[in-house]
Amino acid sequence: MMLLPSKKDLKIALEVFAVFQWVLSAFIIVITVVFVNLYLVLFTPYWPVTVLILTWLAFDWKTPQRGGRRITCVRRWCLWKQYCDYFPLKLLKTHDISPNHNYILVCHPHGLFSHSFFGHFATDSSGFCKIFPGITPYVLTLGVLFWVPLLRDYIMSSGLCSVSQASMDFLLTHKGTGNMLIVVVGGLAECRYSLPGSTTLVLKNRTGFVRVALHHGVPLIPAYAFGETDLYNQYIFTPGGLVNRFQKWMQRMVHIYPCAFYGRGFTENSWGLLPYARPVTTVVGKPLPLPKIENPSQETVAKYHALYIDALRKLYDQHKTKYGISETQELVLT
């Protein structure tokens, strides 16, 4: 008799598929859009379809800077529940957040794909709405992701918006209160430090989020995802070697550090590009109130940047031993 898969096996398969489709969906959409439109223009008489798509893109260009176009049913797809269960992801609140104010939630570390921040703030599957009632999260990401038709609509449906200055200003002034802007300040520059056990953050010279918070007088909230850097391994090339020089050249040219990362495959002990199924707990700290200063000086920005770093270190030190980090391991800021 043919053995049927158990419920546990089916759940594991769904979890793997949920993560797989999220990791590759952007790549597949970009390739499909580019090649289909090239085919329509070069080999068929249906080039007006491409013209219509580009016309709509121009007409809709500023939507990612004006709150996006979230679709609640997309954020509640049952697939996202499987995505969160794969690792699993956990969201921990340390203080209540009042819906009578707006906030900037500053997340660390970026990791390679920011799996935990997507699961918590771009879906409704990890309990965010129950943990922070009355708060609406807006995940801010690179504006270049909104240049591609279809991809922009897909990511906007999950509540993603542009991380541009205009986008942040709009969300903090035109959407009322109870808005939480999710900013992963380390960005792609932090990917090179995404190694198991790493606690290195790109933060020393990242002050733009502090300037925006001061301009609007909104609190900053530190958040740290314990386990985010444990989801992949990286191959570290010889410093000064050909590949390492190429990586640094790419970082200088396009601000992206190409990483030779690897994880698991479709089965637990195989090799592949899926993240390892390891728990990630995101701890959200206490809001740090900031005064409203429309044009803060560099000295003022530096002062509150230092206060934010102190708050982040305190949050990290209070919780690190609970998640397998030794008492002596400190945050390293670059």
Side-chain angles (χ1 to χ4, degrees):
M1 293 180 62
M2 183 175 64
L3 295 177
L4 295 176
S6 65
K7 288 184 178 180
K8 181 181 179 180
D9 292 334
L10 288 174
K11 179 168 176 56
I12 291 174
L14 282 173
E15 291 172 0
V16 170
F17 173 75
V19 175
F20 172 75
Q21 67 83 27
W22 181 81
V23 171
L24 292 184
S25 59
F27 176 77
I28 293 172
I29 291 173
V30 170
I31 295 299
T32 301
V33 168
V34 170
F35 279 95
V36 167
N37 280 281
L38 283 176
Y39 177 77
L40 291 177
V41 171
L42 298 177
F43 302 106
T44 77
Y46 300 110
W47 58 265
V49 173
T50 299
V51 174
L52 286 174
I53 292 173
L54 293 177
T55 301
W56 167 250
L57 181 63
F59 176 79
D60 195 51
W61 188 256
K62 291 188 176 181
T63 298
Q65 300 179 25
R66 295 176 177 172
R69 191 164 43 238
R70 71 174 56 213
I71 301 175
T72 302
C73 63
V74 174
R75 290 175 56 87
R76 293 178 179 174
W77 276 350
C78 60
L79 196 64
W80 300 135
K81 179 64 167 63
Q82 308 304 323
Y83 175 92
C84 293
D85 289 346
Y86 170 88
F87 299 95
L89 303 180
K90 182 180 179 182
L91 185 62
L92 179 63
K93 175 179 69 173
T94 60
H95 292 79
D96 290 332
I97 307 295
S98 170
N100 297 323
H101 305 282
N102 291 324
Y103 305 89
I104 297 178
L105 182 71
V106 190
C107 299
H108 313 273
H110 182 281
L112 283 169
F113 291 101
S114 296
H115 284 289
S116 58
F117 305 132
F118 177 83
H120 291 315
F121 309 122
T123 80
D124 290 334
S125 299
S126 69
F128 178 89
C129 293
K130 293 180 180 178
I131 297 171
F132 299 104
I135 301 295
T136 302
Y138 291 90
V139 179
L140 305 186
T141 189
L142 293 173
V144 68
L145 296 178
F146 300 98
W147 294 1
V148 183
L150 190 60
L151 174 63
R152 71 199 309 270
D153 300 287
Y154 178 52
I155 62 178
M156 279 196 293
S157 67
S158 290
L160 272 68
C161 297
S162 171
V163 74
S164 67
Q165 177 78 48
S167 175
M168 298 179 77
D169 289 341
F170 182 90
L171 291 170
L172 293 172
T173 57
H174 290 76
K175 301 290 281 187
T177 59
N179 302 303
M180 181 181 284
L181 279 57
I182 315 299
V183 182
V184 189
V185 295
L188 295 175
E190 216 166 68
C191 292
R192 64 184 298 184
Y193 303 112
S194 184
L195 295 162
S198 172
T199 56
T200 300
L201 306 178
V202 178
L203 184 58
K204 270 187 178 180
N205 299 316
R206 300 292 172 102
T207 59
F209 69 99
V210 179
R211 187 175 295 277
V212 171
L214 286 167
H215 179 76
H216 293 280
V218 299
L220 293 172
I221 307 176
Y224 195 93
F226 292 92
E228 181 70 40
T229 59
D230 297 333
L231 301 181
Y232 294 93
N233 282 308
Q234 279 195 55
Y235 185 82
I236 305 301
F237 296 97
T238 304
L242 180 63
V243 177
N244 182 249
R245 292 202 304 271
F246 171 76
Q247 290 175 311
K248 291 181 178 180
W249 177 81
M250 281 288 292
Q251 186 176 31
R252 289 195 303 270
M253 295 299 295
V254 296
H255 304 289
I256 296 176
Y257 189 88
C259 302
F261 68 91
Y262 60 94
R264 58 165 280 184
F266 290 107
T267 56
E268 186 174 358
N269 296 317
S270 60
W271 184 95
L273 298 179
L274 292 177
Y276 295 114
R278 295 170 178 169
V280 183
T281 301
T282 301
V283 182
V284 178
K286 180 181 179 180
L288 175 66
L290 270 66
K292 184 173 182 178
I293 306 174
E294 290 195 7
N295 296 297
S297 65
Q298 188 61 42
E299 291 75 16
T300 302
V301 172
K303 171 187 173 182
Y304 286 99
H305 184 258
L307 289 176
Y308 171 78
I309 290 176
D310 289 342
L312 174 63
R313 288 189 185 277
K314 182 178 179 181
L315 177 72
Y316 169 82
D317 289 337
Q318 285 179 340
H319 296 273
K320 62 184 179 182
T321 56
K322 303 174 188 176
Y323 304 106
I325 300 176
S326 69
E327 185 67 43
T328 57
Q329 188 165 353
E330 303 291 339
L331 280 181
V332 179
L333 306 185
T334 61

